[in-house]
Amino acid sequence: QVQLVESGGGLVQAGGSLRLSCAASGRIFSWYAMGWFRQVPGKERDFVAAVTSNDRSTSYADSVKGRFTISRDNAKNTVYLQMNSLKPEDTAVYYCAAGSTGRASSTLGDYDYWGQGTQVTVSS
């Protein structure tokens, strides 16, 4: 089992920045790829960004490329999502996830464990 706890969400004005953190406990963190997804009410959960288990590769949704950066610190069992130039359409609940494939996948089914989510609200 892997337990994931997100933090860092909040209210920010358009153009601002936030950094989300996801702390993991349980099994060996470095075994897992880590991903960030987001969801708004009534819609599907969408991929945002992911990093491989060996921290050598990342992937991003087109909508966040150049604005968001995913990183991980295996010594701290933590993955981060730095979000810059935020837009109102980035408003959502953000979830982190751990995937045993080790790949920076954009597919929900490739992730085995999920956090409870943290709300990000971007005002215009």
Side-chain angles (χ1 to χ4, degrees):
Q1 287 281 354
V2 175
Q3 292 79 41
L4 303 172
V5 179
E6 301 98 334
S7 61
L11 174 64
V12 64
Q13 288 188 333
S17 299
L18 281 175
R19 188 175 82 154
L20 304 183
S21 300
C22 174
S25 61
R27 292 190 174 181
I28 299 175
F29 179 70
S30 60
W31 287 357
Y32 294 86
M34 298 300 297
W36 286 96
F37 292 76
R38 64 188 181 187
Q39 189 171 23
V40 297
K43 294 191 175 181
E44 295 183 348
R45 192 169 295 187
D46 292 330
F47 171 72
V48 176
V51 59
T52 54
S53 55
N54 61 14
D55 201 16
R56 290 181 181 176
S57 182
T58 57
S59 63
Y60 295 92
D62 288 343
S63 59
V64 306
K65 280 181 182 176
R67 300 188 299 122
F68 291 12
T69 302
I70 189 171
S71 62
R72 65 189 297 162
D73 185 338
N74 287 347
K76 294 183 178 180
N77 289 356
T78 302
V79 63
Y80 305 97
L81 184 68
Q82 178 66 44
M83 306 186 294
N84 298 328
S85 302
L86 282 160
K87 305 174 181 180
E89 51 263 44
D90 294 318
T91 295
V93 176
Y94 283 71
Y95 298 89
C96 74
S100 58
T101 69
R103 296 180 288 109
S105 173
S106 62
T107 304
L108 270 73
D110 285 341
Y111 292 86
D112 307 285
Y113 303 100
W114 293 83
Q116 83 289 348
T118 185
Q119 176 71 46
V120 171
T121 303
V122 184
S123 63
S124 58

